Amino acid sequence: MFCYQCEQTAGGHGCTKMGVCGKQPETSDLQDLLIYLSKAISMYAWRAAELGFRKEEIDRYVVEALFTTVTNVNFDSERIVNFIKKGYNILAEARALYEKAASDQGRQPHKIEVIDSWNPPQTYEEMLAESQGIGIAARLSQLGDDVTGLQELITYGLKGMAAYADHAAILGISDPEVYKFIHEALNFLTADEGRDADALTAMALKVGEVNLRVMEMLDEANTGTYGHPEPTVVRVTPKKGKAILVSGHDLKDLAILLEQTKDKGINIYTHGEMLPCLAYPELKKYPHLAGNYGGAWQDQKKEFDEFPGAILMTTNCIQKPAETYKARIFTTGLVAWPGVTHIADKDFTPVIEAALAEEGFTEDAPEKTITIGFGRNAVMSVAPTVIDAVKAGKIRHFFLVGGCDGAKSGRNYYTEFAQKVPDDCVILTLACGKYRFNKLEFGDIGGIPRLLDIGQCNDAYSAIKIAGALAEAFDCGVNDLPLSIILSWYEQKAVCILLTLLHLGIKNMKLGPTLPAFVSPAVLNVLVENFNIAPIKTADEDLAEILG
Ligand code: FSO
Ligand code: SF4
């Protein structure tokens, strides 16, 4: 195996023996094969799309394949093998689609030698053997760090985009142009131009551009289905009673579970990135949606162990379950762990039964609350007050502290940074990195809370709209606003959002806790020269530099 797609990669270089995330070498190799297969499918699908042909099944397969390989999604080799086998049929369909598209236009389909002559491996052993020649390590030795790193930057951006596109599609929103682009980009990675650093850089920015559209679709899907998040005081301590904890990012899974548990006397709690769900009108209307329990994803071992109920994982961020809770944790959607019960049909009866069999919370914990729900709609509705406060000098600066949390100690920077932000500045948060400080007291500026949570990483579109609206109000560019972006990254969704911000021409971002291993020094130079992106230093140094 060789994998360097996330921030916790071994030694800051690459996982080669076993994933720091818990991914087995075989699982990693199978994921490499799945990516190779996705590229093969897209080689046909892209050519067919250029001739005006597409097939929903092919598009959805590639999106799910990409999402499946995101960090902390699928650790189950058996499921991946089955998914690969299904992919062989999809590959045949994509080839047939291209051939039909060509013949309909009276053309001869081009031969794609490398795929036309490919004998897809059938057995588990053959799959593992095949993966050796097509993984990242093989390309690193053939193409070097810069080109391979840029290729992987695009691949990881596409994985993040696929995750967002999948969430939107689940709620009925999709765009054929997005699928077409995903095929175009995967095909590009197999072509000669996919070995040229300049062309690769341009394609990476294009991934960011198309991802903006995908994030818009996801925003439309979430707010169209569940309403606009509204400022909401939510409980972060448990109530007496039976309990289910829901983690991941999928709003629909939570909605289905809320409906299925309506009359069951079970309280539902959000974990990690599900916290913002408590602010959606169509979700918070359920009285048994009791609040949030615990912190970010990397705290799950301790928190799930102590949680006296059942746990449902809806997307990424699963870690190896401890034996103490393995029988009462469940997966659904694309997330999987070997030996953990997977619920494919959305009938959550096994989760409900497991929750009822547990003791539940025996008493109410002392009530503690936080306020969430400052999506774009809520923030825009108080925009005039905010703008007046800036003009009157009451708000000096905005800090968007966004991105993932993770296990490394260097992430204390984000807590320290938030605590040291001066009292006349506002902090906007996005994604799970906020758990480092979202239960601290920040007060307000003339009634405007100093800590405004925009939502999940999936809500980055909201943050972009807020920045755009501020720029419009002040008649300047986003880079001229009193706004600084401090990012923490962990996995490929954050990579994708970073590409979107770069596509928008956002400069001077600070990135931590460490730089991606796949970004080579030469590529980093390009980013520094064009976007003045910088690794985080200390909270004091960065604040002093920003506030000058
Ligand atoms: Fe965090 Fe996990 Fe949302 Fe990521 S929960 S780390 S960027 O998967 O998805 O922010
Ligand atoms: Fe290592 Fe991250 Fe890849 Fe897991 S996802 S194997 S931790 S680089």
Side-chain angles (χ1 to χ4, degrees), residues 249 273 297 316-317 404 431-432 457 490-491 493:
H249 300 73
E273 278 280 74
W297 66 274
N316 41 328
C317 300
C404 321
C432 58
C457 61
Y490 170 66
E491 36 84 329
K493 292 199 274 175

Side-chain angles (χ1 to χ4, degrees), residues 469-489:
L470 282 176
E472 206 170 293
F474 290 104
D475 198 18
C476 65
V478 171
N479 287 320
D480 305 315
L481 282 173
L483 166 72
S484 301
I485 301 181
I486 317 294
L487 292 178
S488 53
W489 84 286

Side-chain angles (χ1 to χ4, degrees), residues 70-73 164 247-249 271-274 296-298 315-318 403-406 430-433 435 455-458 488-495 497:
V70 166
T71 298
N72 292 346
V73 176
Y164 296 133
S247 195
H249 300 73
H271 187 263
E273 278 280 74
M274 293 304 276
W297 66 274
Q298 77 282 354
T315 53
N316 41 328
C317 300
I318 191 169
C404 321
D405 206 349
L430 191 71
C432 58
Y435 278 105
Q456 299 181 336
C457 61
N458 294 24
S488 53
W489 84 286
Y490 170 66
E491 36 84 329
Q492 301 80 54
K493 292 199 274 175
V495 171
I497 293 172

Side-chain angles (χ1 to χ4, degrees), residues 1-10 13-16 18-24 28 31 69-72 75 490-492:
M1 76 174 284
F2 182 92
C3 182
Y4 64 174
Q5 67 175 357
C6 86
E7 180 266 333
Q8 66 182 357
T9 194
H13 297 292
C15 296
T16 54
M18 161 90 195
V20 175
C21 58
K23 189 159 75 177
Q24 296 292 331
S28 182
Q31 290 186 354
T69 65
V70 166
T71 298
N72 292 346
F75 293 86
Y490 170 66
E491 36 84 329
Q492 301 80 54

Side-chain angles (χ1 to χ4, degrees), residues 18 29 32 44 68 81 88 111 173 176 194 213 215 224 250 252 265 285 305 312 315 341 347 379 401 439 460 541 543:
M18 161 90 195
D29 291 345
D32 287 347
Y44 292 120
T68 291
V81 166
Y88 292 158
K111 280 255 160 262
I173 306 283
R213 166 74 189 124
M215 306 243 51
D250 198 286
K252 189 170 179 184
K285 70 178 185 190
D305 179 53
L312 177 64
T315 53
T341 307
D347 175 353
V379 174
V401 185
K439 287 168 192 151
E541 278 174 281
L543 272 168

Side-chain angles (χ1 to χ4, degrees), residues 366-382:
E367 183 168 347
K368 191 171 180 331
T369 60
I370 59 172
T371 305
I372 62 161
F374 295 94
R376 63 185 168 91
N377 203 50
V379 174
M380 305 295 206
S381 66
V382 294

Side-chain angles (χ1 to χ4, degrees), residues 54-88:
R54 66 176 282 260
K55 212 170 182 183
E56 182 79 10
E57 205 191 344
I58 298 171
D59 296 344
R60 294 284 295 131
Y61 180 86
V62 171
V63 162
E64 288 192 3
L66 289 167
F67 192 1
T68 291
T69 65
V70 166
T71 298
N72 292 346
V73 176
N74 191 333
F75 293 86
D76 189 342
S77 292
E78 200 183 313
R79 278 194 81 196
I80 298 174
V81 166
N82 289 335
F83 197 61
I84 289 171
K85 287 185 178 160
K86 180 182 168 194
Y88 292 158

